[in-house]
Amino acid sequence: MAEKKTTEKTAQKTKFFKSGNFYLMLFSIVLAFVIWIIMSLTVFPETTITLKDVPIDFSLDGSYADVAGISVMKTSVDTVNVVISGERYLIGDYTADDIHVTVNVDAVRATGSYELSLVVTSVSGDTIEVEQIEPSTVKVDFDYMVSKTYSVEDGTLVADVSNLTAADGYIIDEDEITISPSTIELYGPQDYIDQITSVAVKIDNSAIIQSTMTSNLNSVILYRGNDEFTSEDVTIDNESFEVTVPVYLLRTIPLDITLTSNVDSFDLSSIAYSINPSSITVRSQNENVNSITNINLDYISVNKITVGSVFSVSIAENANYENISGIDTATVTFDLEGYAEKVVTVSNSQIYILNSTDDKLVTVEQAQIQNVILVGPEDVLEQISSSDVVAEIDMLDYANTTSSYTIMDLTIYVPGYDNVWSYGTYRVYVSIENVETEDETDAETESEE
């Protein structure tokens, strides 16, 4: 039964399509559409459409601002909503891409802020009427575009090594950091460029260092005073920099002096002294500085020291390290509490000639040396008299002397006392006479025979 009904319906549809009713219906639909088109174009030939988010073209080509070098810096909006009207057949299918919105820059004659009107045209040149623009005007800031160079030499291009830390016992000298290239050029609005006071090349990697390093992984940061400055309108001519960071070994080294005496038996350790400052801070890139135990300031002979002696000694420069303490002299003070001076006279008989040769007769011409100053512990000096003092002349020091009459230095000391010394320099007049030796006499006798 169901199959019979289905067959009957199929037969009815087939009969409908074969009859003229189907084509009559199709023709009616097409005719209605054509009539609607005709009515639209004749009865309603114009239409109004709204286009949203139409981009604004801020081009200044050919304007006074363009010729004067003035550029757009900032705008209050970038797009507008536009209501236009026109022939339906022309604008009926318009989109935002079919119109061109620009600003009227005729009034722009200098830098500053302007409230400018908008101009709307058809991209294809169709005639259109602007019914409404929202917003109707746009605020535009204008400025000159300029370039400015920042350099290491004038201090406006600097290195930022805040990500680096010197290892214990080392120091980074920021004054000696080098940047290559040593200049950078910024280009942008004059108002912006004028605000940029410095440029920093910042090392990006964090590290603890104990030797000089060179980094090529750096960022360029603009500064307005102490604050970072950012703007997409400012361009940089180069962002590839090489930064070399010098690292120095830092050490505090004690200062010392060396006491000398021409008397071997003298106890140099019996003389106490202090040095101010007791040490200095140095820096170096030579790791061998670690082996230095002290810095010897000077050699001081004991015969220059007496009660109350104070020496000002220069701290010499050294090729292996640099003194960064800011101190270039040290004061050496001798602790001679309980010491005193004693004046004695040394007679001719107490002066001994050492290392004289057989062909020289050396004679001290002075009967005595007066006002010889001895220095030592006060209780020791009380036990010493002039007769205890000895003076020596070492002829090895005068081996090349040809003069028959000369002045020679004396070494004065007190035998048996290793903590008493003579203060000052003492000299005597000495005559030197050539004498014949026994060998020379025998040679002359043989020659006469």
Side-chain angles (χ1 to χ4, degrees), residues 100-119:
H100 185 212
V101 181
T102 61
V103 288
N104 185 346
V105 294
D106 293 343
V108 179
R109 291 291 187 269
T111 61
S113 295
Y114 293 81
E115 196 72 34
L116 301 179
S117 59
L118 299 168
V119 178

Side-chain angles (χ1 to χ4, degrees), residues 282-347:
V282 302
R283 71 174 192 178
S284 176
Q285 292 183 322
N286 185 346
E287 293 289 335
N288 291 330
V289 171
N290 276 323
S291 63
I292 299 176
T293 57
N294 62 67
I295 296 173
N296 186 62
L297 297 177
D298 201 0
Y299 293 85
I300 300 178
S301 174
V302 294
N303 63 13
K304 295 180 180 179
I305 303 169
T306 188
V307 178
S309 290
V310 176
F311 292 81
S312 181
V313 185
S314 296
I315 302 173
E317 296 293 330
N318 190 290
N320 294 313
Y321 56 79
E322 179 186 358
N323 175 11
I324 62 171
S325 64
I327 302 171
D328 57 8
T329 58
T331 302
V332 182
T333 304
F334 289 90
D335 181 12
L336 299 179
E337 185 178 354
Y339 280 63
E341 292 181 352
K342 186 171 187 176
V343 179
V344 297
T345 298
V346 179
S347 66

Side-chain angles (χ1 to χ4, degrees), residues 137-348:
T137 61
V138 58
K139 184 179 179 181
V140 184
D141 295 338
F142 293 89
D143 201 352
Y144 292 110
M145 296 295 286
V146 297
S147 62
K148 183 177 179 180
T149 299
Y150 298 76
S151 71
V152 172
E153 183 178 359
D154 63 17
T156 54
L157 177 62
V158 299
D160 183 345
V161 296
S162 57
N163 284 335
L164 301 181
T165 303
D168 289 343
Y170 292 82
I171 185 173
I172 296 172
D173 190 335
E174 297 193 13
D175 292 334
E176 294 184 5
I177 294 173
T178 60
I179 305 173
S180 180
S182 60
T183 61
I184 188 171
E185 185 175 78
L186 305 184
Y187 178 78
Q190 183 172 11
D191 179 55
Y192 290 178
I193 297 297
D194 288 344
Q195 295 181 59
I196 300 172
T197 55
S198 64
V199 180
V201 180
K202 184 174 182 177
I203 294 179
D204 296 330
N205 287 344
S206 297
I208 298 175
I209 57 177
Q210 63 181 35
S211 61
T212 297
M213 69 163 289
T214 298
S215 171
N216 293 295
L217 298 175
N218 312 302
S219 300
V220 176
I221 302 175
L222 312 182
Y223 280 92
R224 176 172 50 201
N226 295 324
D227 300 324
E228 289 190 23
F229 180 93
T230 57
S231 173
E232 294 180 355
D233 297 318
V234 176
T235 59
I236 302 173
D237 69 334
N238 174 45
E239 294 191 51
S240 177
F241 288 88
E242 182 178 271
V243 181
T244 300
V245 183
V247 179
Y248 290 88
L249 172 66
L250 197 64
R251 277 208 59 201
T252 298
I253 305 178
L255 301 180
D256 203 357
I257 59 168
T258 299
L259 293 179
T260 64
S261 173
N262 52 8
V263 178
D264 293 338
S265 61
F266 184 79
D267 181 12
L268 294 173
S269 65
S270 66
I271 302 179
Y273 60 87
S274 61
I275 302 175
N276 185 33
S278 61
S279 63
I280 60 170
T281 301
V282 302
R283 71 174 192 178
S284 176
Q285 292 183 322
N286 185 346
E287 293 289 335
N288 291 330
V289 171
N290 276 323
S291 63
I292 299 176
T293 57
N294 62 67
I295 296 173
N296 186 62
L297 297 177
D298 201 0
Y299 293 85
I300 300 178
S301 174
V302 294
N303 63 13
K304 295 180 180 179
I305 303 169
T306 188
V307 178
S309 290
V310 176
F311 292 81
S312 181
V313 185
S314 296
I315 302 173
E317 296 293 330
N318 190 290
N320 294 313
Y321 56 79
E322 179 186 358
N323 175 11
I324 62 171
S325 64
I327 302 171
D328 57 8
T329 58
T331 302
V332 182
T333 304
F334 289 90
D335 181 12
L336 299 179
E337 185 178 354
Y339 280 63
E341 292 181 352
K342 186 171 187 176
V343 179
V344 297
T345 298
V346 179
S347 66
N348 183 290

Side-chain angles (χ1 to χ4, degrees), residues 388-401:
D388 297 318
V389 182
V390 171
E392 295 177 343
I393 297 174
D394 190 345
M395 292 307 296
L396 290 178
D397 296 332
Y398 301 95
N400 298 321
T401 299

Side-chain angles (χ1 to χ4, degrees), residues 29-43:
I29 293 173
V30 172
L31 180 61
F33 178 74
V34 171
I35 293 173
W36 177 80
I37 291 294
I38 295 173
M39 291 291 293
S40 297
L41 294 177
T42 55
V43 180

Side-chain angles (χ1 to χ4, degrees), residues 423-439:
Y423 172 66
T425 301
Y426 302 94
R427 295 177 175 179
V428 291
Y429 288 95
V430 176
S431 64
I432 303 174
E433 182 181 353
N434 293 322
V435 296
E436 289 186 358
T437 63
E438 183 176 344
D439 291 339

